[in-house]
Amino acid sequence: MDVFTAMQTAVSGLKAQSYALDNISGNIANSQTTGYKRIDTSFVDLIAEQTARREVAGSVAAYSQLTNTIQGNLSSTGVATNMALNGQGFFVVQKKTSDASGNTTFSASNLYTRRGDFAPDKDGYLANGAGSYLTGTMLDPVTGQSTSNGPIKISNTVLPAKATTTITYSANLPKTPATAKTTTTAGSELLGPFADGSDPRITSGTGTATVSSANAQSFVDNSIQGPQLTAYTAAGSPVAVTTRWAKVTNADASATPPTTDTWNLFYASGTSTTGNNTGWTNVGQAFSFNASGQLTSPSTTSITIPNLTVDGATVGNVTLDYGAGGLTEYASSTGGATTNALQQNGYSSGTLNSVDVSDDGKITGTYSNGASLTLATINVVHFTNDDGLKPDSLGNYQQTQDSGVPITGLKGTTIVGGNVEQSNTDIAGEFSKMIVTQQAYSANTRVISTAQTMMSDLINIIR
């Protein structure tokens, strides 16, 4: 290497350190930018082609080194639609292309970002502070079925009423029920035929049976309280459903064939009836239990209550889902039924009160009627090489050949609602790198000044 080459090498060093300073200044400028990933500088030596014994340092080149895999701290914002990725991955976003005459259109290409300060815009679309729109799968809140894919829009439309179609219920029935009727007569805890000859019992299988209001008191005296809940008609009208359990047979091991304990479930179909109008209706199924307290019949995990009607308000056919092992008959010190689970899937109409983001990427809306329904699922993707993405402006990244194709799914990453990810820039570290860069830059200028002095000395030889 001659003196002229030394000067050229020093110039490459100046360029490389200037490039590093550019990255440092950008990192410091974005130290408060949501989701920003700092850009480090990697230096590469360039060796002039020489023999092994004549190799000398040629020059240096500087390249950007991304830190997409290094997560920033999570910061709580209190904004429900803000979200941060705790782990690897990127939100999938799109850019708005036009907003003419109320018709919003978006770009067909996807971008990827860690910036999760999303909030609804004037049209309800979730956009972050840089103007990128979060994408996902929109769901029908009533059916839970997918309606569209693309930018997520939180709609404030009224949620229509939904009739109750399923009641989920599990409970333990007492081996010996403590009924309201007080007598020492053997078997008095059992429900039997009434004095007028009517018999509301179903002792095996299915059937139809009712209790008139004239026999309502006798029925109540020989039964125990069951679950109580509010169901809804198709129009959203609330219907108070009151139930009672009645034991209709006791187990008899000596019988041929041996009998089992059998219960019937009734609901109050007429709360203000008189005369012989129906007061209680059998759900139409006998529930039999073996000596161990396990349900033996029916063998299914649910039954259908036909045309559930209370005081003329018709709910319709309702599935009573008690699941596997949901109904048992164990001894109870109180003699009453113990409810373990009770819920139904109907509701009245309502308006959206708030939204929440779950850790598995679901956006759930809470309505004024108390219903909590899933509105959308968020698109999150991973790349084989996160640092192979091409940085774009506004905190976005583009897919490249080096990054690989996007892989859909959280894959161990969780979404933290009400939080955003801060910049992963460390100010102290950047200042340290800036000092080193400044010293290296100054050293390269000294090389140039020294080479210039040597050249001057050479020229002065002939004077």
Short mmCIF file of all heavy atoms in Angstrom, two decimals, residues 333-358:
data_model
loop_
_atom_site.label_atom_id
_atom_site.label_comp_id
_atom_site.label_asym_id
_atom_site.label_seq_id
_atom_site.Cartn_x
_atom_site.Cartn_y
_atom_site.Cartn_z
N SER A 333 -76.10 -32.98 52.79
CA SER A 333 -76.54 -32.68 54.16
C SER A 333 -77.74 -31.74 54.17
O SER A 333 -78.52 -31.73 55.11
CB SER A 333 -75.39 -32.05 54.95
OG SER A 333 -74.95 -30.85 54.33
N THR A 334 -77.90 -30.95 53.11
CA THR A 334 -79.01 -30.00 53.05
C THR A 334 -80.26 -30.60 52.43
O THR A 334 -81.36 -30.09 52.63
CB THR A 334 -78.60 -28.76 52.25
OG1 THR A 334 -78.33 -29.15 50.89
CG2 THR A 334 -77.35 -28.11 52.84
N GLY A 335 -80.08 -31.67 51.65
CA GLY A 335 -81.22 -32.27 50.98
C GLY A 335 -81.68 -31.48 49.77
O GLY A 335 -82.75 -31.76 49.21
N GLY A 336 -80.88 -30.49 49.35
CA GLY A 336 -81.24 -29.68 48.19
C GLY A 336 -80.30 -29.92 47.03
O GLY A 336 -79.24 -30.53 47.18
N ALA A 337 -80.69 -29.41 45.87
CA ALA A 337 -79.85 -29.53 44.68
C ALA A 337 -78.76 -28.46 44.72
O ALA A 337 -79.01 -27.31 45.08
CB ALA A 337 -80.69 -29.37 43.42
N THR A 338 -77.54 -28.86 44.36
CA THR A 338 -76.40 -27.94 44.33
C THR A 338 -76.05 -27.64 42.87
O THR A 338 -75.63 -28.53 42.14
CB THR A 338 -75.18 -28.54 45.04
OG1 THR A 338 -75.53 -28.86 46.39
CG2 THR A 338 -74.02 -27.55 45.03
N THR A 339 -76.24 -26.40 42.48
CA THR A 339 -75.93 -25.99 41.10
C THR A 339 -74.45 -25.70 40.96
O THR A 339 -73.89 -24.89 41.71
CB THR A 339 -76.74 -24.75 40.72
OG1 THR A 339 -78.14 -25.06 40.78
CG2 THR A 339 -76.38 -24.29 39.30
N ASN A 340 -73.80 -26.35 40.01
CA ASN A 340 -72.37 -26.14 39.76
C ASN A 340 -72.10 -25.23 38.58
O ASN A 340 -71.09 -24.53 38.55
CB ASN A 340 -71.68 -27.49 39.52
CG ASN A 340 -71.80 -28.41 40.73
OD1 ASN A 340 -71.68 -27.97 41.86
ND2 ASN A 340 -72.08 -29.68 40.48
N ALA A 341 -72.97 -25.23 37.59
CA ALA A 341 -72.82 -24.36 36.42
C ALA A 341 -74.20 -24.07 35.86
O ALA A 341 -75.06 -24.95 35.82
CB ALA A 341 -71.95 -25.02 35.35
N LEU A 342 -74.40 -22.82 35.45
CA LEU A 342 -75.69 -22.43 34.89
C LEU A 342 -75.50 -21.20 34.01
O LEU A 342 -75.08 -20.14 34.50
CB LEU A 342 -76.70 -22.13 36.00
CG LEU A 342 -78.10 -21.70 35.54
CD1 LEU A 342 -78.77 -22.83 34.75
CD2 LEU A 342 -78.96 -21.29 36.74
N GLN A 343 -75.79 -21.34 32.73
CA GLN A 343 -75.75 -20.21 31.82
C GLN A 343 -76.59 -20.51 30.59
O GLN A 343 -76.89 -21.68 30.30
CB GLN A 343 -74.31 -19.88 31.40
CG GLN A 343 -73.60 -20.99 30.68
CD GLN A 343 -72.15 -20.63 30.36
OE1 GLN A 343 -71.56 -19.75 30.96
NE2 GLN A 343 -71.58 -21.33 29.39
N GLN A 344 -76.96 -19.44 29.89
CA GLN A 344 -77.75 -19.60 28.67
C GLN A 344 -77.19 -18.66 27.62
O GLN A 344 -76.43 -17.73 27.92
CB GLN A 344 -79.23 -19.34 28.94
CG GLN A 344 -79.55 -17.98 29.54
CD GLN A 344 -79.66 -16.89 28.50
OE1 GLN A 344 -80.24 -17.10 27.45
NE2 GLN A 344 -79.11 -15.71 28.78
N ASN A 345 -77.52 -18.89 26.36
CA ASN A 345 -76.87 -18.16 25.27
C ASN A 345 -77.73 -17.10 24.60
O ASN A 345 -77.38 -16.58 23.55
CB ASN A 345 -76.40 -19.15 24.19
CG ASN A 345 -77.56 -19.85 23.49
OD1 ASN A 345 -78.68 -19.89 24.01
ND2 ASN A 345 -77.31 -20.42 22.33
N GLY A 346 -78.85 -16.73 25.20
CA GLY A 346 -79.71 -15.71 24.62
C GLY A 346 -79.46 -14.34 25.23
O GLY A 346 -78.83 -14.21 26.28
N TYR A 347 -79.97 -13.31 24.57
CA TYR A 347 -79.85 -11.95 25.10
C TYR A 347 -80.82 -11.04 24.36
O TYR A 347 -81.31 -11.35 23.27
CB TYR A 347 -78.42 -11.43 24.96
CG TYR A 347 -77.75 -11.71 23.64
CD1 TYR A 347 -78.05 -10.97 22.50
CD2 TYR A 347 -76.81 -12.73 23.52
CE1 TYR A 347 -77.44 -11.23 21.29
CE2 TYR A 347 -76.19 -13.01 22.31
CZ TYR A 347 -76.51 -12.26 21.19
OH TYR A 347 -75.91 -12.52 20.00
N SER A 348 -81.06 -9.89 24.97
CA SER A 348 -81.87 -8.86 24.33
C SER A 348 -80.98 -8.03 23.42
O SER A 348 -79.76 -8.22 23.40
CB SER A 348 -82.53 -7.97 25.39
OG SER A 348 -81.54 -7.35 26.19
N SER A 349 -81.55 -7.10 22.67
CA SER A 349 -80.74 -6.23 21.82
C SER A 349 -79.90 -5.31 22.69
O SER A 349 -80.23 -5.05 23.86
CB SER A 349 -81.64 -5.41 20.89
OG SER A 349 -82.49 -4.56 21.65
N GLY A 350 -78.78 -4.84 22.14
CA GLY A 350 -77.88 -4.00 22.93
C GLY A 350 -76.96 -3.19 22.05
O GLY A 350 -76.82 -3.44 20.84
N THR A 351 -76.34 -2.20 22.64
CA THR A 351 -75.35 -1.37 21.96
C THR A 351 -73.98 -1.64 22.54
O THR A 351 -73.83 -2.04 23.69
CB THR A 351 -75.69 0.12 22.11
OG1 THR A 351 -75.79 0.45 23.51
CG2 THR A 351 -77.01 0.45 21.42
N LEU A 352 -72.95 -1.40 21.73
CA LEU A 352 -71.58 -1.68 22.13
C LEU A 352 -71.12 -0.68 23.19
O LEU A 352 -71.16 0.53 22.97
CB LEU A 352 -70.66 -1.63 20.91
CG LEU A 352 -69.19 -1.99 21.14
CD1 LEU A 352 -69.07 -3.46 21.56
CD2 LEU A 352 -68.37 -1.73 19.88
N ASN A 353 -70.66 -1.20 24.32
CA ASN A 353 -70.15 -0.35 25.39
C ASN A 353 -68.63 -0.24 25.38
O ASN A 353 -68.07 0.83 25.56
CB ASN A 353 -70.60 -0.88 26.76
CG ASN A 353 -72.05 -0.54 27.06
OD1 ASN A 353 -72.65 0.31 26.41
ND2 ASN A 353 -72.63 -1.22 28.04
N SER A 354 -67.95 -1.37 25.18
CA SER A 354 -66.49 -1.37 25.23
C SER A 354 -65.95 -2.57 24.47
O SER A 354 -66.70 -3.50 24.14
CB SER A 354 -66.01 -1.43 26.69
OG SER A 354 -66.45 -2.62 27.33
N VAL A 355 -64.65 -2.52 24.18
CA VAL A 355 -63.98 -3.64 23.53
C VAL A 355 -62.77 -4.04 24.36
O VAL A 355 -62.24 -3.24 25.13
CB VAL A 355 -63.56 -3.31 22.08
CG1 VAL A 355 -64.76 -3.06 21.21
CG2 VAL A 355 -62.63 -2.12 22.05
N ASP A 356 -62.33 -5.26 24.15
CA ASP A 356 -61.19 -5.79 24.88
C ASP A 356 -60.41 -6.70 23.95
O ASP A 356 -61.00 -7.39 23.10
CB ASP A 356 -61.65 -6.54 26.13
CG ASP A 356 -60.49 -7.07 26.95
OD1 ASP A 356 -59.71 -6.25 27.44
OD2 ASP A 356 -60.37 -8.30 27.10
N VAL A 357 -59.08 -6.71 24.11
CA VAL A 357 -58.22 -7.56 23.29
C VAL A 357 -57.67 -8.67 24.17
O VAL A 357 -57.04 -8.40 25.21
CB VAL A 357 -57.06 -6.75 22.68
CG1 VAL A 357 -56.16 -7.66 21.86
CG2 VAL A 357 -57.60 -5.62 21.82
N SER A 358 -57.90 -9.92 23.79
CA SER A 358 -57.43 -11.06 24.56
C SER A 358 -56.03 -11.44 24.14
O SER A 358 -55.54 -11.04 23.08
CB SER A 358 -58.38 -12.25 24.39
OG SER A 358 -58.37 -12.70 23.05
#
